[in-house]
Amino acid sequence: MTEAQAILIVDDEANQRELLGEHLRGLGYAVRLADSVAAARSALEAQRIDLVLSDYQLTDGTGAEILEHVQRTNPLIQFILFTAYGSINRAVAFMKQGAADYLSKPLDLEELELKIRHILRHKMVLEENLRLREKLDDREEFTSILYQSSKMQELINQALRAAQSSATVLIIGESGTGKELLA
């Protein structure tokens, strides 16, 4: 079973925060709650978070400050900003700053659900893309070894798997066969 996607809700209005949290828990998300910029930063540093839902106006700052922190520390974390004081210009500014979306209060829960699903699906694609690029980079390390044999491809795949572990590996073979290159 896969781990539930984690959503951090940041809102200084306790009722709003709790209701939204309960609704999202009911949809199967792992929900964390924060009531301030400081609490949000602590939560972001202490645990894995996939998406932040933050009110703009908070008692100790703004949701924009949290967005800025996320962009600096882990830009793969997605961000939806919401506010009761919305404007098109502000929404455009937040999207340019890196927010995935911007909503006006009162929140339409059905619209929010759709946006969350879409944004988290997009995040999964970004993460998979990153993993595939890392695998491709690993394989490109072997571009200096020339081969045509399927047995050599198996050997390189085995070497890649061994490289990901902490196991000690002994490479033996005749002089000039590329042991040092493979190592």
Side-chain angles (χ1 to χ4, degrees), residues 1-53:
M1 188 173 159
T2 60
E3 189 177 340
Q5 292 174 304
I7 298 176
L8 174 63
I9 300 170
V10 188
D11 195 334
D12 54 0
E13 293 178 32
N15 288 341
Q16 173 88 10
R17 185 175 63 242
E18 294 294 331
L19 286 171
L20 190 53
E22 284 305 310
H23 180 73
L24 294 177
R25 278 188 192 101
L27 296 174
Y29 296 106
V31 176
R32 316 291 192 269
L33 303 174
D35 62 355
S36 65
V37 172
R41 284 184 179 156
S42 294
L44 286 162
E45 291 168 11
Q47 50 210 306
R48 181 187 63 84
I49 301 292
D50 296 300
L51 171 68
V52 176
L53 294 173

Side-chain angles (χ1 to χ4, degrees), residues 37-146:
V37 172
R41 284 184 179 156
S42 294
L44 286 162
E45 291 168 11
Q47 50 210 306
R48 181 187 63 84
I49 301 292
D50 296 300
L51 171 68
V52 176
L53 294 173
S54 179
D55 192 5
Y56 177 74
Q57 194 62 48
L58 300 164
T59 54
D60 65 341
T62 66
E65 293 172 48
I66 301 168
L67 175 58
E68 207 173 282
H69 175 78
V70 164
Q71 290 298 307
R72 260 193 338 273
T73 59
N74 187 350
L76 281 179
I77 295 174
Q78 301 300 297
F79 205 98
I80 297 177
L81 203 62
F82 55 87
T83 184
Y85 312 104
S87 74
I88 299 295
N89 291 340
R90 185 177 278 176
V92 169
F94 290 132
M95 301 293 274
K96 284 182 180 177
Q97 195 176 343
D101 217 322
Y102 179 88
L103 298 170
S104 294
K105 281 184 175 179
L107 297 176
D108 177 337
L109 294 179
E110 287 182 16
E111 178 186 13
L112 180 63
E113 286 176 37
L114 288 172
K115 288 182 184 281
I116 288 173
R117 270 198 302 257
H118 174 75
I119 289 167
L120 290 177
R121 198 173 306 124
H122 177 71
K123 180 182 189 289
M124 287 176 19
V125 168
L126 290 174
E127 289 172 339
E128 180 65 17
N129 192 350
L130 187 60
R131 279 192 295 275
L132 290 172
R133 283 183 189 203
E134 287 170 356
K135 276 187 172 183
L136 186 59
D137 288 345
D138 287 344
R139 292 197 184 273
E140 287 176 357
E141 290 177 14
F142 288 101
T143 56
S144 57
I145 299 176
L146 301 176

